[in-house]
Amino acid sequence: MPTIQRKHTMYHSTVLDADPDTVWATVRDAMQILDIVSPGDLDIHRDVSWVEGGSVDTVPARYDFRLTLNGRLVQQEIAARDEINKTQSYRAVAPTSGVARYEATIRVFPITNDPARSFFDWSRTLEIAEDADLDVVEAIIDVMEKQTDAVRDHFAKTAK
């Protein structure tokens, strides 16, 4: 694993075996994408729920979950969504587990010559607190490194 910088950026992308509308209907819902990227024994979260009147169709919309890793509460919010361009940004609303600030964007694009598939990308920026437990931060980043593959694998299973 590379050395963790105080400002850590990540970018992952993949081609999915599903059309953009199918992918978007799933990944725009924070509850569904959290379920996809943290299934069963790889679970990094628990007690996931919309809070403060949030819902899949509300923007901004807050949702909370607890990290299985250390039991800490994670408070995030869907900050922006563009239904036409299939883009959604979200952010942490409170620091936790050594991450002082977190922002991310997911995007779904059509593949012009293959309309039954789509291109998915996920960009993230984490600002690491000065007093962070770097082992915990590294574990969180390690999980994040695998999440785009989990999205790819989810749609590969549903395409069969």
Side-chain angles (χ1 to χ4, degrees):
M1 167 161 293
T3 304
I4 295 184
Q5 304 295 318
R6 289 295 164 202
K7 185 171 185 179
H8 187 83
T9 58
M10 305 169 73
Y11 175 83
H12 297 96
S13 63
T14 191
V15 173
L16 303 177
D17 290 327
D19 66 273
D21 290 337
T22 299
V23 172
W24 182 244
T26 301
V27 302
R28 69 187 286 281
D29 182 344
M31 301 302 112
Q32 286 190 59
I33 198 159
L34 281 169
D35 192 46
I36 291 167
V37 302
S38 302
D41 59 345
L42 298 176
D43 198 357
I44 62 156
H45 65 79
R46 62 177 190 249
D47 304 327
V48 181
S49 62
W50 295 107
V51 295
E52 298 179 356
S55 75
V56 67
D57 293 318
T58 307
V59 176
R62 179 140 155 245
Y63 57 98
D64 292 352
F65 58 93
R66 291 200 177 274
L67 292 175
T68 302
L69 179 69
N70 59 9
R72 296 268 173 86
L73 180 67
V74 176
Q75 300 171 303
Q76 292 187 344
E77 142 182 285
I78 305 298
R81 180 183 299 139
D82 181 337
E83 297 285 357
I84 294 169
N85 294 309
K86 297 176 176 53
T87 297
Q88 179 166 276
S89 296
Y90 58 98
R91 64 189 178 120
V93 295
T96 190
S97 301
V99 177
R101 192 168 160 229
Y102 174 68
E103 295 177 353
T105 300
I106 56 173
R107 300 183 303 171
V108 180
F109 298 98
I111 297 176
T112 307
N113 63 350
D114 194 351
R117 297 173 83 204
S118 51
F119 183 80
F120 175 81
D121 75 24
W122 200 338
S123 60
R124 308 174 204 208
T125 302
L126 298 88
E127 290 185 19
I128 311 305
E130 290 291 328
D131 61 348
D133 179 339
L134 293 184
D135 290 337
V136 171
V137 173
E138 284 180 3
I140 292 168
I141 289 172
D142 184 53
V143 168
M144 287 180 172
E145 290 283 346
K146 299 171 184 146
Q147 290 180 328
T148 301
D149 290 345
V151 173
R152 180 200 62 215
D153 296 347
H154 170 80
F155 286 103
K157 288 177 194 167
T158 59
K160 291 181 179 179

